[in-house]
Amino acid sequence: SPYPGIPRMAASSDNAVNASAEGPSLRTVVCGLSLPSCVFNSSNPFATSLEDLQALDASAAGAVATRTACPGFVHDEATMKWASPDGANTINCLGYSPLPFEYYTGCLLQLSGAKPCWLSISGSAEEVGAMVREAAALAPSLPGGLAVEINLSCPNIAGKPPLAYDFDALRDYLGTVFDAGPPPPT
């Protein structure tokens, strides 16, 4: 073992994280999707444009996540600010993407397909239910697979506390979303 006193993990074909001659693997399976690495981007300002997503697709990231699409969200330059002190990380209060869901479904079709995609969405339960159905129809076109992230914890939308903090409201919301149809296949 390269680390004295720490035994090497036994390699196992049924274990998503295992060791090889090169050391531990970062491969994993999430929602039935195989990721070459468990490390990938969050939904953030660096995942906004097609160019951003193509750069993530070409990187060593294990998947590509979009910025959160939310119908009717209006980006307000007066209150939504961000800074990137080191060019790689952000301090922001941007909220959701100014680009619509349809923009991101189109972008995902333009990626290599070599790795899974995470489509981040938010909105009313009815809107999200419709987007989930559209994502289910899109999933077979993406060779790497598709997962949907429903963002219910964005804290910077004025006058709207995050739904994820109200368990009764969250239960009702998810009931409405999934009454609309099943999640995308994996």
Side-chain angles (χ1 to χ4, degrees), residues 3-67:
Y3 305 100
I6 301 174
R8 182 177 296 276
M9 295 170 49
S12 169
S13 61
D14 63 341
N15 187 350
V17 179
N18 58 57
S20 67
E22 296 82 38
S25 169
L26 295 178
R27 299 182 75 70
T28 192
V29 177
V30 178
C31 301
L33 300 174
S34 295
L35 282 70
S37 170
C38 61
V39 178
F40 65 100
N41 67 293
S42 64
S43 175
N44 69 67
F46 293 118
T48 300
S49 69
L50 173 60
E51 293 76 21
D52 294 333
L53 298 174
Q54 288 171 327
L56 291 163
D57 189 34
S59 75
V64 176
T66 67
R67 188 159 170 205

Side-chain angles (χ1 to χ4, degrees), residues 2 8 21 36 43 46 69 72 75 89-90 111 119 125 138 150 154 161 173 175:
R8 182 177 296 276
S43 175
F46 293 118
H75 181 83
N89 299 290
T90 66
L111 301 181
L119 185 56
L138 173 68
I150 303 172
C154 191
Y173 180 97

Side-chain angles (χ1 to χ4, degrees), residues 48 67 101 148 165 175 178 182:
T48 300
R67 188 159 170 205
F101 172 79
V148 173
Y165 301 159
F178 292 109

